[in-house]
């Protein structure tokens, strides 16, 4: 498929709906699924452009994998494509979390726990595939390979989200010094569908809502709920599990639901495909605040995702200009190498360490990896196979 051909919102929606139904394993695994779908299979991006986009979203507050998906939809089919990507990727897990809030059976018992463990092993295989593929494209020489290793060391020694941002910054600085020999490359994506004016308006709206919502939160039903989730989405870097302390303080801390209810929803969220931020739908639906139920879920979802998308829209038009500059390209070579290192460490912790507990687990995860790499098995079949295997092992335990 021609990467430069404009697509349709329907095409984008169907692609992301499939991912929303099958992308288990958290934000790092999602980036692996996205790369397989949009770089390897569909050819909408090359690894350089995809790595640039991942690096940008790692810098910004909000759910990184959802931001990457939003940007992919935007580049492919404009604003409708961006909306289609977000809805397709978010809707399946959001609906499941709302159903759980209304009393769907919790994931319990040996079979269900076995299936959940199988899905964690899927994440090992998918992230390993992503690390290998991106390493081949983004660390092809000794300089960039060394930057990737240094990024692993920075993350291992310092830990946390700020270490992740620092590793990318350090990679960019080293790229300026070590990666300036490559010839300038043309943009893979010819057009960024966000003007500077629109980007500035998005930035103004992001800051305005962050400042005004706490002042008006008591002014009407839903404003306090929206404010709680907007601040959580606006102030967290890295997304995923990093947002949980903010959500706990904003919901349990305000007496909207109990600690047990919060933890039950968090446990169910681990078994869901798509973004972990859809945990907000459960919290909005299950809480004692007004509104709750389906309206509460919708308010919470809008609140937690909106700031990340606004700040992404603000950054995109200026990001494209920087990418066209020769020095910026050198910096991005280093930053992309650092992203490979960050993904490599994430492959080990938390993906590998939380999933591979026995030699049999390692064998199952390795089988999934070989199926993806050598046999080119579609990820959906790997998901089904490993989840089924986990369930069978759980039943036999």
């Amino acid at each position: 498929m021609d990467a430069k051909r404009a697509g349709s919102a329907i095409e984008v929606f169907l692609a992301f709906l499939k991912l929303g139904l099958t992308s288990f394993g958290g934000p790092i695994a999602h980036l692996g699924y996205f790369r397989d779908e949009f770089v390897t299979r569909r050819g909408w991006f090359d690894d350089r452009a995809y790595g640039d986009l991942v690096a940008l979203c790692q810098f910004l507050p909000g759910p990184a994998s959802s931001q990457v998906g939003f940007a992919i939809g935007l580049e492919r089919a404009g604003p409708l494509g961006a909306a289609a990507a977000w809805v397709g990727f978010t809707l399946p897990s959001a609906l499941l979390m709302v159903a759980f809030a209304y009393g769907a059976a919790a994931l319990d018992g040996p079979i269900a726990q076995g299936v959940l463990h199988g899905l964690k092993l899927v994440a090992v295989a998918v992230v390993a595939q992503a690390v290998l593929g991106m390493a081949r494209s983004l660390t092809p020489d000794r300089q960039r390979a060394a930057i990737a290793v240094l990024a692993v060391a920075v993350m291992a020694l310092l830990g946390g989200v700020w270490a992740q941002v620092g590793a990318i910054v350090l990679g960019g600085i080293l790229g300026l010094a070590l990666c300036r020999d490559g010839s300038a490359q043309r943009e893979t994506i010819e057009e960024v569908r966000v003007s500077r004016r629109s980007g500035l308006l998005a930035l103004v709206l992001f800051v305005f809502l962050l400042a005004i919502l706490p002042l008006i939160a008591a002014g009407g039903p839903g404003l306090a709920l929206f404010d709680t989730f907007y601040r959580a989405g606006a102030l967290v870097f890295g997304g995923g599990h990093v947002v949980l302390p903010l959500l706990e303080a904003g919901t349990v801390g305000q007496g909207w639901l109990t600690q047990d209810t919060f933890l039950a929803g968090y446990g169910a969220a681990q078994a869901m495909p798509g973004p972990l931020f859809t945990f907000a739908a459960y919290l909005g639906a299950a809480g004692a605040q007004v509104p709750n139920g389906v309206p509460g879920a919708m308010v919470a979802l809008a609140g937690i995702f909106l700031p990340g998308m606004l700040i992404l829209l603000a950054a995109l038009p200026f990001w494209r200009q920087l990418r066209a500059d020769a020095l910026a390209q050198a910096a991005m070579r280093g930053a992309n190498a650092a992203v490979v290192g960050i993904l490599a460490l994430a492959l080990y912790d938390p993906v590998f360490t939380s999933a591979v507990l026995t030699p049999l687990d390692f064998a199952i995860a390795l089988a999934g990896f070989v199926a993806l790499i050598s046999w080119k098995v579609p990820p959906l079949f790997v998901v089904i196979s490993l989840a089924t295997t986990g369930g069978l092992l759980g039943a036999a335990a």
Side-chain angles (χ1 to χ4, degrees):
M1 181 178 293
D2 186 356
K4 297 183 177 63
R5 182 181 68 80
S8 68
I10 293 296
E11 172 193 37
V12 171
F13 174 76
L14 292 176
F16 275 93
L17 181 63
K18 182 184 78 171
L19 291 167
L21 290 167
T22 59
S23 293
F24 295 91
I28 299 298
H30 298 163
L31 296 177
Y33 284 107
F34 287 176
R35 180 187 174 275
D36 181 73
E37 185 70 22
F38 301 115
V39 176
T40 303
R41 292 190 62 250
R42 296 177 182 264
W44 292 0
F45 294 78
D46 62 17
D47 262 321
R48 183 182 65 87
Y50 182 70
D52 286 355
L53 189 57
V54 171
L56 170 61
C57 294
Q58 297 285 359
F59 272 117
L60 301 175
S65 62
S66 293
Q67 287 170 312
V68 170
F70 185 86
I72 289 172
L74 180 67
E75 296 293 353
R76 185 64 179 174
L80 287 177
W86 180 79
V87 171
F89 188 55
T90 307
L91 185 62
S93 57
L95 291 176
L96 289 170
M97 291 306 297
V98 171
F100 184 76
Y102 274 99
L107 286 175
D108 197 10
I111 295 178
Q113 292 299 316
V115 170
L116 177 57
H117 190 69
L119 295 176
K120 290 182 179 180
L121 295 176
V122 171
V124 175
V126 170
V127 176
Q129 180 195 31
V131 170
L132 177 62
M134 294 184 74
R136 287 171 174 170
S137 297
L138 301 179
T139 59
D141 50 48
R142 290 180 294 178
Q143 293 91 334
R144 280 178 276 184
I147 291 172
V149 172
L150 182 59
V152 171
V154 169
M155 291 291 296
L157 290 172
L158 301 179
V161 175
W162 291 110
Q164 175 178 293
V165 174
I168 295 175
V169 171
L170 180 60
I173 294 171
L174 291 175
L176 286 172
L178 302 175
C179 305
R180 296 171 64 173
D181 295 335
S183 58
Q185 300 175 353
R186 294 181 58 193
E187 294 277 333
T188 302
I189 304 166
E190 300 258 337
E191 177 188 6
V192 170
R193 300 175 186 252
V194 183
S195 67
R196 288 191 175 189
R197 179 185 177 89
S198 298
L200 288 173
L201 287 174
L203 179 60
V204 169
L205 182 57
F206 170 84
V207 174
F208 174 77
L209 288 174
L210 190 60
I212 197 67
L213 282 170
L215 302 178
I216 64 173
L223 286 176
L225 181 64
F226 187 81
D227 170 50
T228 294
F229 285 92
Y230 186 89
R231 278 186 288 111
L235 300 178
V236 65
F237 287 81
H241 303 280
V242 182
V243 79
L244 292 175
L246 289 173
L247 292 180
E248 182 179 17
T251 56
V252 177
Q254 295 194 68
W256 290 348
L257 69 169
T258 66
Q259 183 76 29
D260 287 344
T261 303
F262 182 92
L263 292 176
Y266 174 59
Q270 307 311 301
M272 303 300 172
L276 185 60
F277 267 37
T278 56
F279 181 37
Y282 168 85
L283 297 175
Q289 79 290 330
V290 177
N292 53 22
V294 173
M298 295 172 66
V299 171
L301 276 178
I304 201 167
F305 278 103
L306 180 60
M309 303 316 170
L310 287 175
I311 200 67
L312 175 63
L313 291 173
L316 277 174
F318 303 97
W319 185 250
R320 178 179 183 270
Q321 182 179 7
L322 285 174
R323 284 172 54 196
D325 180 80
L327 289 177
Q329 287 193 7
M332 284 310 307
R333 292 185 190 105
N336 286 341
V339 168
V340 173
I342 291 169
L343 290 176
L345 186 62
L347 170 61
Y348 172 71
D349 183 17
V351 176
F352 187 94
T353 57
S354 67
V356 179
L357 307 178
T358 67
L360 180 58
D361 289 341
F362 180 77
I364 294 171
L366 181 62
F369 175 74
V370 171
L372 291 169
I373 294 294
S374 299
W375 301 340
K376 308 301 180 185
V377 175
L380 174 61
F381 292 105
V382 176
V383 169
I384 294 172
S385 298
L386 268 63
T388 302
T389 301
L392 292 173
L393 291 174

